Amino acid sequence: MTDLVIASNNKGKIKEIKEMIHTIHLLSLNDIGFNEEIPEPYPTFAENAFIKANTVHHFCGKNVFADDSGICVNALNGEPGVISAHYSGERNDEKNLQKILNNLRDKTDNTAYYFAVICLIWNNETYYFEGTCTGIIIPNKRGTNGFGYDPIFIPDGYNQTFAELPLTVKNTISHRGIAVKKMIDFLKDKV
Ligand code: IMP
């Protein structure tokens, strides 16, 4: 089976992606002996996805992909966006989520969307795959599945939060699920 490195240490992301990819041998950063934190200083998801994939590609020389993703809240002018992982100033899901709820308290528009960009470096060529999932933010957390902002996000067309829906359902409609599906389709005749 062909090797492909996932350039991420985020357990939530890795669990979701592994659930979708079966015909490629996925390697973690741990598997390749990469232990550094990669800075993500850029204002766009695509640039941050590229720096992660490219740093790891330079380290190991293997085919690699990175996901950069986040949640964009319309009433907050798209915040937290690219800084979703540390919106509160810390990499702390609970504090980040509470910051959105606090900032939304006096707003009427509760719409938001998740966005993901995958940067794939395959045989030294770079490719991008995107996914979007629109929905609303609710004021009280519901559910224990998923990670990050999932307990306060209900995708359009559903009544349950991403933290209440089973992973298999989340993967069919989520920003990351859509982007991963596009990458799988692209790789289908290459592996
Ligand atoms: P990244 O490592 O910079 O791509 O950080 C992504 C951050 O966006 C995560 O740490 C979460 O805070 C948020 N995020 C992205 N995708 C999801 C998701 O599917 N559910 C919940 N939070 C997510």
Side-chain angles (χ1 to χ4, degrees):
M1 235 193 266
T2 312
D3 284 350
L4 181 62
V5 180
I6 311 184
S8 176
N9 280 318
N10 181 316
K11 290 192 174 74
K13 280 187 190 176
I14 293 170
K15 182 178 178 202
E16 291 182 10
I17 292 167
K18 281 197 163 163
E19 214 271 329
M20 292 185 73
I21 297 182
H22 308 288
T23 55
I24 300 172
H25 183 229
L26 292 176
L27 297 170
S28 67
L29 290 179
N30 208 22
D31 292 333
I32 60 162
F34 185 94
N35 308 310
E36 293 156 40
E37 183 78 23
I38 305 170
E40 302 171 33
Y42 298 107
T44 67
F45 292 102
E47 288 169 297
N48 288 321
F50 175 75
I51 187 85
K52 288 188 269 192
N54 198 41
T55 303
V56 174
H57 179 64
H58 275 285
F59 176 81
C60 67
K62 291 182 184 293
N63 291 327
V64 52
F65 74 98
D67 156 302
D68 200 67
S69 50
I71 194 162
C72 304
V73 179
N74 292 318
L76 304 178
N77 300 315
E79 278 187 16
V82 290
I83 61 159
S84 292
H86 49 90
Y87 187 38
S88 62
E90 290 175 45
R91 285 188 177 269
N92 180 312
D93 284 352
E94 180 62 27
K95 288 186 179 170
N96 292 340
L97 168 163
Q98 289 301 338
K99 183 168 178 184
I100 287 192
L101 295 183
N102 283 338
N103 289 348
L104 267 188
R105 214 166 267 160
D106 59 344
K107 312 279 189 208
T108 46
D109 179 3
N110 63 355
T111 61
Y113 61 95
Y114 274 119
F115 187 66
V117 177
I118 287 177
C119 175
L120 169 71
I121 301 179
W122 185 264
N123 294 345
N124 298 313
E125 298 284 344
T126 304
Y127 304 90
Y128 293 90
F129 307 93
E130 294 181 0
T132 303
C133 179
T134 57
I136 57 164
I137 302 291
I138 56 164
N140 296 302
K141 293 195 295 176
R142 283 177 14 201
T144 53
N145 299 335
F147 65 100
Y149 301 91
D150 285 345
I152 57 166
F153 180 82
I154 297 184
D156 288 342
Y158 291 78
N159 296 314
Q160 290 162 292
T161 66
F162 263 169
E164 292 176 307
L165 289 166
L167 176 55
T168 45
V169 175
K170 181 181 174 187
N171 269 347
T172 60
I173 56 173
S174 81
H175 50 310
R176 182 169 309 98
I178 292 167
V180 170
K181 172 83 170 49
K182 287 178 184 171
M183 181 177 75
I184 292 171
D185 289 346
F186 169 81
L187 289 174
K188 211 167 259 171
D189 55 353
K190 295 181 175 56
V191 295

